[in-house]
Amino acid sequence: DGTIYSSVTDGETLYLGGGFTSISESTGKAVEYNALTEERNATFPKIEDGTVHASVPDGDGGWYIGGSFDTVADETRNNLVHITSNGDVDPNFNPDINGTVRALALSSDGSVLYVGGEFTVVNEDISRNYLAAFATSDGVVVHRDTFNPNLDGSVYALALASNEAVLYAGGSFGEVNGGDVTRNYLAAFSTTNGIATAFNPDVDGIVFTLAYSTIDGVVYAGGTFQGVNDGDEERVGLAAFDVTTGAVTAFNPDPNNFVYTSALSSDGSTLYVGGSFATIGGQARVQFAALDTATGLATSLDAGIPIGDDLTVYAVALSDDESTVYIGGDSALNGIGGQSRQYFGAISTE
């Protein structure tokens, strides 16, 4: 878990010294853990090279995993793979994407996988700029002649509307539908024909995370922006928009720095966010916070990450019963829940 600066052998013994605190077995770039027993599934296929940026469960015990890699368990898979519930690489799903995958969204019936990232070609010869949809049964492009949002920049976040007729996308783009429509960093598309809807928040910085609320009729967006609605409204790093018009709501936790990840409670009352901030929702909350969506204020939940800890939280996820929130970052989570955790930890939400 850290840098090695010195090594020396004495017979059959190897001594290592450096900045690490633990040495463990090689797992590859993705692991599967039982959240209750903390046991790792040792048969989970290894992704030896590259980086994993996104994952989504397939609803049947398996996973779709995206990133920047080309081999999974000795099988060629370019940047996207489906690992089945029995731990096999799905032989029927191989979209062959020519660039990094950053975001995934799966339809409720599991038949369509929406993929965003930094690619321009899929399935060897089909042009798809930064956003595409695939049939999960065989990896074939869905609605080949119609669904093609054709953006001019990377996609980092995806969220499906509750009726799945609209797909929201956040990223670093400025134009969509082949340059015909201006949409700065955040847009919504018909899942049938890929045409941009009227939703147009006009954000002034990159969007890295999205959370759709069926309860409030809003989509929450986090990122590196500082203004929305063509700069008419100040929103630093986090905002909520009407799902139809894109008009910004009163929700304004006002973090003092950027938000990179989010997870919404099932009742829509609490938004869990992570990033590089030290204050948010009127309270000192270092890199992680739970926000009351009605008021924008921070709740009493505090992960306890010390101020000054050189850390950015890039991942948060809720357990199925929402009693636990999992937090991942880029360094030691010293002090989280009163404990020290390397890169990843969990706290009770209760």
Side-chain angles (χ1 to χ4, degrees), residues 72-291:
V72 181
D74 297 325
E75 297 285 343
T76 298
R77 287 295 184 275
N78 289 317
N79 306 310
L80 181 63
V81 64
H82 178 214
I83 296 173
T84 65
S85 58
N86 58 11
D88 293 332
V89 174
D90 186 346
N92 300 314
F93 185 83
N94 188 10
D96 194 21
I97 296 174
N98 78 333
T100 301
V101 170
R102 297 277 184 179
L104 300 172
L106 186 65
S107 63
S108 59
D109 65 1
S111 65
V112 179
L113 182 69
Y114 298 92
V115 180
E118 295 161 358
F119 51 85
T120 57
V121 177
V122 303
N123 287 353
E124 297 185 348
D125 62 356
I126 299 176
S127 175
R128 283 296 183 273
N129 291 319
Y130 310 105
L131 180 57
F134 302 95
T136 56
S137 59
D138 54 14
V140 171
V141 170
V142 173
H143 304 308
R144 177 169 178 167
D145 296 328
T146 56
F147 185 82
N148 185 10
N150 198 8
L151 295 83
D152 70 347
S154 302
V155 171
Y156 295 115
L158 294 172
L160 274 169
S162 56
N163 62 5
E164 303 191 5
V166 177
L167 177 70
Y168 298 86
S172 60
F173 50 85
E175 294 180 342
V176 303
N177 292 148
D180 292 339
V181 180
T182 298
R183 288 292 185 269
N184 291 316
Y185 305 101
L186 182 55
F189 303 96
S190 163
T191 54
T192 301
N193 58 31
I195 300 299
T197 72
F199 178 84
N200 186 16
D202 201 11
V203 179
D204 70 1
I206 298 174
V207 171
F208 284 107
T209 183
L210 295 172
Y212 181 92
S213 174
T214 58
I215 308 298
D216 300 321
V218 300
V219 60
Y220 298 94
T224 62
F225 52 85
Q226 300 185 58
V228 302
N229 288 359
D230 195 26
D232 291 341
E233 297 279 353
E234 180 179 310
R235 290 292 188 277
V236 178
L238 186 61
F241 304 97
D242 181 278
V243 295
T244 303
T245 66
V248 69
T249 74
F251 177 81
N252 187 13
D254 196 26
N256 72 331
N257 214 326
F258 303 132
V259 171
Y260 294 104
T261 183
S262 61
L264 185 66
S265 63
S266 59
D267 64 2
S269 66
T270 306
L271 182 70
Y272 300 90
V273 296
S276 54
F277 50 83
T279 61
I280 188 172
Q283 300 292 329
R285 294 289 186 271
V286 181
Q287 283 93 37
F288 170 82
L291 303 170

Side-chain angles (χ1 to χ4, degrees), residues 291-322:
L291 303 170
D292 184 321
T293 56
T295 64
L297 298 177
T299 72
S300 59
L301 183 68
D302 187 353
I305 301 170
I307 293 177
D309 204 17
D310 185 18
L311 168 71
T312 297
V313 168
Y314 289 112
V316 297
L318 282 167
S319 61
D320 286 346
D321 63 2
E322 302 188 7

